[in-house]
Amino acid sequence: MEKRVVFKEDHCKSCELCISVCPKKIIRLRTELNRLGYHPAYVSDEDQEKCISCALCARMCPDAVIQVWRP
Amino acid sequence: MIPVYTRPKSLTDVVTHYCPGCPHGIAHRLVAETIDELGIQERTVGVASVGCSVFSYNYFDVDFQQAAHGRAPAVATGIKRVNPECIVFTYQGDGDLASIGMAEIVHAAVRGENITVIFINNAIYGMTGGQMAPTTLVGQKTTTSPFGRDPSTQGYPVKISELLSTIKGAHYVARFSLHNPANIQRAKQGIKKAFQNQIEGKGFSLVELLSTCSTNWGMTPQNALKWLEENMIPEYPLGEFKTGEGE
């Protein structure tokens, strides 16, 4: 399945602003660290289906980590 | 799949040095999106200020010049006058523009220089460690006002947009906030208007963006945005203060 929301996890600083604006509450933080030492945000493969491609997360992200597509 | 939101071309593919949740990144993205949409990447010249945004030349994929503290509007004046075909913008914080750079910004507006100024107001000096800025709110605690800003000794916050809107040479002066996606979208439209004005040769445009400094305010990024909404917006009302010469 093609992903609707893709995170550039190496650039994420886990500020959680995307989590605070997501209307579907499907964004989570990984337990693993990225190369910057933060827990990057992600949307699991199961939750990709629930994404409505509103792109609020991408508009809020200060690090331009998020790219959004719609079917 | 149809793209809804992709990374702007005018941003370089590097990790910024900004703290987690810093709205500088949002402002950078909005400026880069505007440059992309107007198709002016090849002829845009940015002027970086001193402060956290000093490294913005690493993050925009356009030509850049670094100015001395507060002097970005003066440097931009020179660049624009020598190369009138270039689109020149400055990117300045409140410690840079509202204190040491006050003379330069006021006189750039008085002369009606055809430049665009992006002014980030987060009510504190970020890079140097959270000292009181001219824009610090009354009662706000900083490292140099540990009991809160006291107007009897430290005066009142300076309102740049209101101040510059009284100047006849300024064409467009507006204030927006970056605390939620709706306001970010409005800010984007304001930034686009400010660049459009320059392309059309209308003159001096300044966009003030209310921002946060979660590190020096001592808050999480979400709480800092909430604090901005509850405390800064009543003091710094949003809106377009001037949208035309001599109005």
Side-chain angles (χ1 to χ4, degrees):
Chain A
M1 194 210 75
E2 283 183 279
K3 289 186 175 181
R4 294 186 184 181
V5 49
V6 178
F7 291 74
K8 199 171 201 169
E9 293 187 21
D10 273 352
H11 285 213
C12 179
K13 297 175 187 159
S14 45
C15 68
E16 304 182 24
L17 293 185
C18 53
I19 297 177
S20 70
V21 297
C22 178
K24 291 291 172 186
K25 303 286 169 212
I26 53 175
I27 306 174
R28 293 196 203 92
L29 295 186
R30 285 200 194 279
T31 46
E32 307 87 55
L33 298 172
N34 64 8
R35 68 191 168 101
L36 300 173
Y38 296 109
H39 297 282
Y42 77 109
V43 170
S44 66
D45 289 344
E46 309 85 73
D47 284 343
Q48 288 283 346
E49 281 285 305
K50 294 183 194 159
C51 175
I52 55 171
S53 306
C54 65
L56 290 186
C57 53
R59 287 183 212 289
M60 201 66 209
C61 178
D63 294 288
V65 166
I66 309 169
Q67 309 213 61
V68 183
W69 281 269
R70 66 182 165 83
Chain B
M1 298 289 255
I2 305 155
V4 178
Y5 190 89
T6 53
R7 194 182 165 90
K9 277 204 319 264
S10 304
L11 277 187
T12 54
D13 192 19
V14 295
V15 178
T16 64
H17 75 288
Y18 300 123
C19 303
C22 177
H24 262 313
I26 302 175
H28 279 30
R29 196 159 45 70
L30 296 181
V31 172
E33 281 174 20
T34 304
I35 292 172
D36 282 359
E37 285 170 21
L38 295 173
I40 52 173
Q41 188 182 4
E42 294 303 319
R43 58 185 180 120
T44 298
V45 182
V47 184
S49 63
V50 170
C52 288
S53 57
V54 66
F55 293 126
S56 50
Y57 48 72
N58 287 333
Y59 308 140
F60 288 107
D61 195 6
V62 298
D63 289 335
F64 242 85
Q65 171 67 44
Q66 164 63 43
H69 202 182
R71 272 62 179 175
V75 174
T77 298
I79 296 172
K80 185 70 185 179
R81 288 193 176 192
V82 173
N83 302 295
E85 73 285 357
C86 288
I87 303 300
V88 185
F89 76 94
T90 73
Y91 187 99
Q92 302 175 264
D94 52 351
D96 183 83
L97 184 142
S99 60
I100 192 168
M102 187 59 114
E104 281 75 13
I105 192 66
V106 169
H107 285 278
V110 166
R111 294 191 306 268
E113 294 296 342
N114 191 22
I115 58 171
T116 302
V117 178
I118 309 296
F119 168 44
I120 310 292
N121 177 0
N122 63 2
I124 206 163
Y125 277 88
M127 183 183 72
T128 48
Q131 291 84 0
M132 189 182 75
T135 46
T136 296
L137 304 184
V138 170
Q140 187 181 345
K141 288 181 181 170
T142 67
T143 53
T144 48
S145 58
F147 306 107
R149 183 175 187 164
D150 176 7
S152 66
T153 53
Q154 292 153 334
Y156 294 91
V158 53
K159 299 182 177 184
I160 291 291
S161 289
E162 283 88 337
L163 181 86
L164 293 180
S165 65
T166 62
I167 294 173
K168 196 173 178 185
H171 181 82
Y172 180 71
V173 180
R175 182 187 287 128
F176 301 97
S177 171
L178 299 174
H179 70 278
N180 63 25
N183 279 281
I184 289 171
Q185 203 55 28
R186 275 179 218 127
K188 163 82 183 298
Q189 286 160 6
I191 292 171
K192 195 163 182 181
K193 209 182 238 183
F195 275 89
Q196 195 77 49
N197 286 343
Q198 186 181 158
I199 292 170
E200 292 167 8
K202 286 183 176 164
F204 184 87
S205 302
L206 178 136
V207 176
E208 174 174 351
L209 300 170
L210 297 184
S211 175
T212 67
C213 184
S214 51
T215 301
N216 286 308
W217 291 2
M219 299 176 194
T220 64
Q222 289 105 311
N223 287 346
L225 291 176
K226 212 166 148 221
W227 194 90
L228 185 168
E229 190 177 1
E230 288 167 1
N231 297 281
M232 280 182 78
I233 292 180
E235 181 69 25
Y236 296 111
L238 307 181
E240 293 180 330
F241 293 90
K242 196 167 182 208
T243 53
E245 207 174 330
E247 278 170 27

